């Protein structure tokens, strides 16, 4: 966890001003992958890895962006912000600032320090943590208090419109709205949600395959294109189907032949994943952990075979977990093509599980994984 005093001291030493400090968490998705942009359901939890943002005003009209992770500070003109991304970490905070400017806010000069312990590019959404932390810091500086779902939308737009990554709403929403000890079933159509308590005896074990994923990468983009193409075929027969959220397996039976075989498989994943996610939330709320685990296994199978968004290492990590004592359910989490698996594990067996999974994965792949026992945490907040 972060050393807030050290972070404050870093900001003060660099910028000679006392910062207001905000924290926004990363997240792990328990189930519901690539369903958010189909206006479907997801069930993430915020985790105890977070990004801190420290902010203080400046008199010179400059915006100073410092990341402790990158050991770099860059200066921009508040009155003349860059219009385009440059494939640099500053794209994320600049995206948020530029979206806020586009909302009609005058952006003053300020110094912003960032420091995160969310592993970067590992499917735990360090990008949303940076965006939401920046969004809270800057809106607080300019005296604006957006409702959390609105803040999440603005941060998502920063990633879509400025950074150029076509992500859905899940990551920013859970970072802004997470609740301690709970997962959150989010309806991505209207952003209504229901909290599902995670029982005290269940641990969130997050296992990093150490294979880098990228939401901006071609895999994610091509999956979205396939999903949209499949939806267009169904909509040509049933115009009320605006997103795959509205489609059924029966639609695929009737009109799947008009899709490419690939688009058909992608659509089958999204349609079945939506049903699974709602069922998984019910299972968690009802304490039916065996059923939850079964749904997670099915979700991984669908993600790997139909959506083809897994990778050999993630399939290995999930398969190895199945035989270990204490496992409730395991699957690849996040946008796909690498990153982390989520394992729900009985508290009593969690330490032994971590040890055994690490050793098995290392001997099978030659890669030493990072495995963390995480907790469902609250959403973004100011640190007093
Ligand atoms: P993920 O969100 O799964 O971690 P992304 O590729 O979406 O992966 O986002 C990772 C990017 O977010 C990093 O490459 C970097 O540009 C930015 N980022 C994340 N954390 C920080 C940080 N603490 N400081 C600066 N940039 C960060
Ligand atoms: Mg991301």
């Amino acid at each position: 966890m972060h050393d807030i005093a050290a972070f404050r001291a870093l900001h003060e030493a660099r910028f000679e001003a006392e910062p207001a400090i905000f924290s926004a968490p990363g997240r792990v998705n328990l189930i519901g992958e690539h369903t958010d942009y189909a206006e479907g359901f997801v069930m993430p939890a915020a985790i105890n890895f977070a990004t801190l943002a420290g902010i203080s005003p400046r008199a010179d009209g400059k915006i100073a962006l410092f990341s402790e992770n990158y050991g770099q500070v860059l200066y921009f003109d508040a009155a003349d912000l860059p219009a385009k991304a440059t494939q640099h970490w500053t794209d994320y905070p600049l995206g948020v600032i530029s979206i806020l400017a586009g909302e009609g806010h005058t952006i003053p000069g300020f110094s912003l320090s960032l420091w995160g312990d969310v592993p970067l590019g590992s499917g735990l959404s360090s990008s949303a943590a940076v965006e939401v932390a920046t969004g809270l810091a800057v809106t607080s500086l300019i005296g604006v208090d957006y409702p959390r779902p609105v803040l999440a939308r603005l941060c998502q737009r920063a990633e879509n419109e400025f950074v150029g990554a076509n992500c859905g709403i899940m990551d920013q929403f859970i970072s802004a709205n997470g609740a301690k000890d709970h997962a959150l079933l989010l309806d991505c159509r209207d952003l209504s949600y229901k909290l599902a308590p995670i029982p005290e005896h269940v641990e969130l074990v997050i296992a990093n395959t150490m294979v880098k994923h990228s939401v901006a990468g071609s895999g994610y983009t091509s999956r979205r294109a396939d999903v949209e193409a499949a939806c267009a075929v169904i909509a040509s027969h049933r115009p009320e189907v605006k997103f795959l959220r509205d489609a059924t397996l029966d639609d695929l039976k009737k009109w799947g032949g008009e899709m490419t075989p690939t688009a058909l498989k992608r659509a089958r994943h999204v349609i079945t994943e939506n049903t699974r996610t709602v069922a998984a939330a019910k299972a968690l709320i009802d304490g039916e952990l065996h059923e939850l685990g079964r749904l997670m296994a099915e979700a991984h199978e669908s993600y790997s075979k139909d959506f083809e968004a897994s990778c050999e290492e993630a399939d290995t990590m999930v398969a190895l977990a199945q035989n270990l004592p204490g496992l409730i359910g395991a699957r690849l989490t996040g946008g796909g093509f690498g990153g982390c698996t989520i394992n729900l594990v009985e508290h009593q067996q969690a330490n032994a599980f971590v040890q055994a999974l690490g050793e098995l994965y290392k001997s099978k792949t030659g890669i030493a994984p990072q495995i963390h026992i995480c907790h469902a945490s609250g959403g973004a907040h100011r640190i007093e």
Side-chain angles (χ1 to χ4, degrees):
M1 247 348 260
H2 288 292
D3 182 341
I4 307 286
F7 180 66
R8 185 184 302 279
L10 268 176
H11 185 97
E12 284 175 358
R14 184 170 293 272
F15 297 118
E16 297 178 345
E18 197 183 317
I21 300 179
F22 300 83
S23 173
R27 63 98 186 98
V28 66
N29 191 21
L30 302 190
I31 192 165
E33 230 59 83
H34 287 253
T35 43
D36 58 353
Y37 57 78
E39 295 210 342
F41 294 90
V42 294
M43 189 165 67
I47 53 175
N48 53 315
F49 288 136
T51 298
L52 297 177
I55 196 164
S56 57
R58 295 176 69 96
D60 62 1
K62 300 265 182 230
I63 291 179
L65 299 178
F66 168 64
S67 167
E68 170 66 9
N69 297 73
Y70 287 88
Q72 228 180 12
V73 60
L74 282 93
Y75 293 85
F76 302 88
D77 214 332
D80 184 23
L81 288 164
K84 280 203 324 232
T86 57
Q87 325 307 320
H88 191 262
W89 65 263
T90 48
D91 290 348
Y92 294 85
L94 283 175
V96 173
I97 296 161
S98 117
I99 290 289
L100 289 171
E103 289 293 291
H105 301 296
T106 302
I107 306 295
F110 60 80
S111 304
L112 182 82
S113 299
L114 296 169
W115 186 20
D117 64 359
V118 188
L120 271 57
S122 300
L124 303 180
S125 213
S126 69
S127 60
V130 166
E131 290 151 8
V132 173
T134 301
L136 261 192
V138 175
T139 51
S140 150
L141 183 77
I142 63 179
V144 177
D145 188 11
Y146 282 115
R148 288 309 173 86
V150 177
L151 180 70
R153 269 285 184 228
L154 294 172
C155 291
Q156 181 202 7
R157 283 182 50 208
E159 189 149 342
N160 293 164
E161 296 169 24
F162 193 91
V163 176
N166 217 358
C167 63
I169 185 67
M170 169 169 69
D171 301 353
Q172 293 80 9
F173 193 92
I174 186 68
S175 182
N177 295 282
K180 188 172 165 10
D181 301 329
H182 288 76
L184 185 155
L185 175 71
L186 175 66
D187 181 339
C188 299
R189 168 151 282 167
D190 61 8
L191 301 188
S192 61
Y193 65 89
K194 186 150 68 173
L195 292 178
I198 298 174
E200 227 171 276
H201 63 92
V202 175
E203 301 285 3
L204 306 179
V205 177
I206 296 175
N208 194 339
T209 63
M210 311 309 276
V211 179
K212 288 277 177 209
H213 86 111
S214 166
V215 170
S218 60
Y220 189 95
T221 306
S222 83
R223 293 306 180 278
R224 265 198 87 144
D226 291 335
V227 165
E228 279 154 20
C231 188
V233 168
I234 299 171
S236 71
H237 299 281
R238 286 212 299 132
E240 67 276 23
V241 174
K242 302 280 184 249
F243 292 88
L244 283 188
R245 152 71 176 273
D246 308 307
T248 64
L249 286 177
D250 200 43
D251 292 328
L252 289 188
K253 232 180 259 158
K254 284 188 187 135
W255 301 304
E258 297 173 28
M259 301 168 189
T260 65
T262 304
L264 172 61
K265 288 204 295 185
R266 307 298 188 246
R268 189 163 59 210
H269 166 74
V270 173
I271 292 171
T272 56
E273 184 82 345
N274 256 328
T275 310
R276 272 191 296 273
T277 302
V278 174
K282 183 174 182 324
L284 183 55
I285 289 166
D286 294 347
E288 306 277 3
L289 296 181
H290 184 75
E291 172 65 1
L292 176 61
R294 190 190 66 75
L295 290 162
M296 288 173 74
E298 219 180 88
H300 183 79
E301 183 78 6
S302 170
Y303 206 29
S304 178
K305 301 276 159 48
D306 271 352
F307 214 66
E308 294 176 276
S310 187
C311 60
E312 212 181 307
E313 293 84 353
D315 285 345
T316 299
M317 190 76 93
V318 168
L320 292 172
Q322 302 304 325
N323 303 318
L324 294 177
L327 181 81
I328 295 162
R331 51 176 290 279
L332 172 62
T333 185
F337 312 102
C340 294
T341 67
I342 169 70
N343 304 265
L344 300 185
V345 181
E346 291 290 348
H347 170 75
Q348 294 285 339
Q349 278 100 344
N351 286 326
F353 180 94
V354 168
Q355 178 82 18
L357 185 60
E359 282 164 13
L360 288 167
Y361 184 76
K362 173 89 204 295
S363 75
K364 192 101 189 175
T365 64
I367 306 169
Q370 283 169 4
I371 308 182
H372 310 276
I373 299 180
C374 287
H375 307 287
S377 304
H381 59 280
R382 182 174 183 159
I383 293 173
E384 298 304 340

